[in-house]
């Protein structure tokens, strides 16, 4: 109810105004307390950095971060939503890692690609993101030690496996640290005044294909111009009054482009699985000692990726599958790829729902190695979160396969 004695329409009643002022004062006091606590935490992170100054292991500890996030979520009484809590702490982790040691992260560039936004979403804004010309360079930067981590697209829910990523695991001794699942939603970005003015649409071939139905329905006469990335497409379209680009909605803010249409993908259930790669296994600290699981037997990892080759004989693959089945381990993915340099030879990639690096699986690993001609664990890590938060002013989400 409005106060009839108020000097302007719609003004809050005096009692409400006093209450609002009191609440704002309380918020200011809470913010001051948070500031002091954040700085206490930052000081502890700096001390950790000094202690580990000469250590060669990775600062990023996804298993520890998962443990902290799950613990906070379990103790959270509300009303802060769990999704907000996890987003806040991801940035806190990002700041803490940067205070310990600057963290360079390779990704498929340039800045503004879906890989870039996936990395920022998961690793936070405090990381230093290093753009690469292609996925091969991401692996090379991590393998050579020039970057501590890399963001790599592994598979898409519609297009399937990113074959080049799997092939590069054969070439480079790198390990999966973590995974994340990002939902893809595309926008049409342009300086054109309307759809009718658009004569050319730029994008990576995959977004052009993923939006093919929409483009045929709304821009049937526009030419489609494939380019190396969605960010390159947006840069190409910028300044052209008759061109548009398909890409992440945040590119509009970065480049000052307008958004002519949102959510133009033909299939709404479009997700990309990214993995974070590093030069060492996720939980091998300095000295090479793997931490013991918790008393309940849970190590924090609940998924393992494998790479193996088999002898050329009947039942070789069945032996591996039977070993996993007899130990109650569910296989989520199995795919073969041609073994480079050996015609008609294949390497297998598999994801299983278990931490195979847990000491209780030592016997199983020995049996698997005996059954295979080569066997390698690419990583044991937590099942990835589904990053599907809406950006401000948009009803869209994140990434696309490898773009």
């Amino acid at each position: 109810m409005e106060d009839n004695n108020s000097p302007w329409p719609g003004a809050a009643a005096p009692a409400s105004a006093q209450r609002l002022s009191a609440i704002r004062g309380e918020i200011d006091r809470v913010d001051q307390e948070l500031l002091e606590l954040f700085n206490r935490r930052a000081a502890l992170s700096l001390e950790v950095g000094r202690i580990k100054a000469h250590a060669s292991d990775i600062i990023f500890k996804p298993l520890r971060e998962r443990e902290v996030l799950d613990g906070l979520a379990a103790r959270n009484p509300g009303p802060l939503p769990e999704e907000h809590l996890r987003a806040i702490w991801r940035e806190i982790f990002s700041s803490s890692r940067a205070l310990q040691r600057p963290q360079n992260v390779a990704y498929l560039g340039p800045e503004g690609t879906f890989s870039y936004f996936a990395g920022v979403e998961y690793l936070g804004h405090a990381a230093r993101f290093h753009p690469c010309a292609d996925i091969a360079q991401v692996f090379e930067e991590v393998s050579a030690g020039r970057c501590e981590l890399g963001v790599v697209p592994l598979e898409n829910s519609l297009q399937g496996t990113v074959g080049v990523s799997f092939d590069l695991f054969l070439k480079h001794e790198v390990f999966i640290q973590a995974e994340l699942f990002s939902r893809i939603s595309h926008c049409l970005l342009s300086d054109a005044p309307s759809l009718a003015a658009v004569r050319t649409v730029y994008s990576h071939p995959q977004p052009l294909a993923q939006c093919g139905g929409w483009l045929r329905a709304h821009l049937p006469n526009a030419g489609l111009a494939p380019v190396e990335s969605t960010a390159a497409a947006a840069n190409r379209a910028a300044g052209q009054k008759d061109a548009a680009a398909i890409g992440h909605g945040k590119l509009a803010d970065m480049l000052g482009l307008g958004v002519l249409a949102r959510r133009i993908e033909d299939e709404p259930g479009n997700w990309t699985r990214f993995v974070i790669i590093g030069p060492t296994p996720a939980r091998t600290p300095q000295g090479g000692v793997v931490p013991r699981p918790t008393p309940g037997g849970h190590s924090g990892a609940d998924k393992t990726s494998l790479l193996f080759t088999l002898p050329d004989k009947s039942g070789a693959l069945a032996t591996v599958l039977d070993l996993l089945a007899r130990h109650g381990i569910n296989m989520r993915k199995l795919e073969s790829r041609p073994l480079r340099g050996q015609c008609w030879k294949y390497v297998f990639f598999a994801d299983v729902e278990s931490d195979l690096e847990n000491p209780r699986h030592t016997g199983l690993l020995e049996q698997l190695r005996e059954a295979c001609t080569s066997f390698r664990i690419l990583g044991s890590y937590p099942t990835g979160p589904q990053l599907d938060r809406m950006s401000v002013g948009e009803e869209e989400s994140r990434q696309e396969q490898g773009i």
Side-chain angles (χ1 to χ4, degrees), residues 304-358:
T304 300
S305 292
L306 309 172
L307 183 158
F308 58 92
T309 57
L310 295 169
D312 189 8
K313 65 179 184 180
S314 176
L317 180 57
T319 299
V320 171
L321 300 179
D322 182 61
L323 283 170
L324 294 171
R326 283 195 279 117
H327 284 79
I329 294 174
N330 184 40
M331 179 178 286
R332 293 296 303 272
K333 178 182 178 67
L334 178 64
E335 182 165 340
S336 64
R337 296 283 300 170
L339 192 58
R340 296 297 177 92
Q342 299 187 42
C343 291
W344 321 124
K345 299 290 185 180
Y346 298 89
V347 60
F348 291 88
F349 294 87
D351 290 333
V352 299
E353 289 182 326
S354 182
D355 177 9
L356 291 189
E357 293 183 309
N358 190 305

Side-chain angles (χ1 to χ4, degrees), residues 169-207:
F169 276 110
L170 290 167
K171 184 177 180 180
H172 298 280
E173 190 78 6
V174 298
F175 299 85
I176 297 175
Q177 311 292 308
E179 69 172 1
L180 60 147
F181 296 90
S182 297
R183 202 182 113 198
I184 301 165
S185 189
H186 295 298
C187 291
L188 189 71
L189 316 173
S190 180
D191 280 330
S194 66
L195 284 177
V198 175
R199 297 289 178 266
T200 305
V201 178
Y202 299 103
S203 197
H204 186 276
Q206 285 174 354

Side-chain angles (χ1 to χ4, degrees), residues 44-77:
L44 293 171
S45 294
L46 286 169
E47 182 63 22
V48 170
R50 284 189 286 269
I51 293 172
K52 298 170 64 175
H54 302 292
S56 58
D57 62 323
I58 301 174
I59 294 295
F60 179 48
K61 302 295 182 186
L63 301 177
R64 169 61 178 161
E65 292 183 8
R66 168 72 171 269
E67 178 186 359
V68 172
L69 283 173
D70 288 350
L72 289 169
R75 298 190 302 273
N76 178 27

Side-chain angles (χ1 to χ4, degrees), residues 98-111:
L99 288 170
Q100 292 179 42
R101 184 170 71 217
Q103 190 172 54
N104 294 320
V105 181
Y107 71 96
L108 180 60
E111 183 178 354

Side-chain angles (χ1 to χ4, degrees), residues 81-385:
E82 181 179 333
E83 179 186 5
H84 297 180
L85 181 149
R86 290 180 180 271
I88 291 166
W89 253 266
R90 286 195 187 281
E91 289 297 336
I92 292 173
F93 291 152
S94 181
S95 173
S96 295
R97 292 193 299 266
L99 288 170
Q100 292 179 42
R101 184 170 71 217
Q103 190 172 54
N104 294 320
V105 181
Y107 71 96
L108 180 60
E111 183 178 354
T113 60
F114 283 104
S115 288
Y116 168 78
F117 288 117
V120 171
E121 184 82 8
Y122 191 75
L123 295 171
H125 290 77
R128 297 177 178 177
F129 289 93
H130 174 67
C132 296
D134 51 34
I135 296 176
Q137 189 183 356
V138 176
F139 276 81
E140 289 165 5
E141 293 295 297
V142 174
S143 180
R146 292 185 290 270
C147 286
E148 187 169 295
L149 299 173
V151 181
V152 177
L154 205 60
E155 58 182 319
N156 178 264
S157 61
L158 299 181
Q159 270 80 40
T161 296
V162 184
V164 64
S165 294
F166 280 105
D167 292 341
L168 287 164
F169 276 110
L170 290 167
K171 184 177 180 180
H172 298 280
E173 190 78 6
V174 298
F175 299 85
I176 297 175
Q177 311 292 308
E179 69 172 1
L180 60 147
F181 296 90
S182 297
R183 202 182 113 198
I184 301 165
S185 189
H186 295 298
C187 291
L188 189 71
L189 316 173
S190 180
D191 280 330
S194 66
L195 284 177
V198 175
R199 297 289 178 266
T200 305
V201 178
Y202 299 103
S203 197
H204 186 276
Q206 285 174 354
L208 290 174
Q210 291 168 0
C211 302
W214 189 95
L215 291 169
R216 287 189 294 273
H218 296 86
L219 293 172
N221 298 318
L224 306 183
V227 294
E228 61 271 23
S229 71
T230 51
N235 278 285
R236 187 81 63 90
Q240 297 187 39
K241 298 298 183 182
D242 62 349
I246 296 174
H248 195 291
K250 285 191 174 181
L251 278 168
D253 298 330
M254 293 175 63
L255 299 175
L257 290 166
V259 179
L260 294 180
R262 303 184 188 278
R263 303 184 72 172
I264 66 173
E265 62 277 2
D266 298 333
E267 295 285 344
N270 191 356
W271 292 77
T272 291
R273 177 190 178 197
F274 289 89
V275 292
I276 310 297
I277 61 173
T280 60
R283 66 166 181 267
T284 304
Q286 189 177 17
V289 179
V290 177
R292 294 179 180 177
T294 61
H298 184 55
S299 65
D302 47 22
K303 194 171 187 178
T304 300
S305 292
L306 309 172
L307 183 158
F308 58 92
T309 57
L310 295 169
D312 189 8
K313 65 179 184 180
S314 176
L317 180 57
T319 299
V320 171
L321 300 179
D322 182 61
L323 283 170
L324 294 171
R326 283 195 279 117
H327 284 79
I329 294 174
N330 184 40
M331 179 178 286
R332 293 296 303 272
K333 178 182 178 67
L334 178 64
E335 182 165 340
S336 64
R337 296 283 300 170
L339 192 58
R340 296 297 177 92
Q342 299 187 42
C343 291
W344 321 124
K345 299 290 185 180
Y346 298 89
V347 60
F348 291 88
F349 294 87
D351 290 333
V352 299
E353 289 182 326
S354 182
D355 177 9
L356 291 189
E357 293 183 309
N358 190 305
R360 66 190 178 92
H361 289 309
T362 299
L364 170 61
L365 290 181
E366 291 175 355
Q367 291 176 296
L368 288 171
R369 289 190 173 98
E370 289 177 3
C372 300
T373 53
S374 66
F375 181 87
R376 177 181 160 201
I377 292 180
L378 295 179
S380 293
Y381 48 90
T383 299

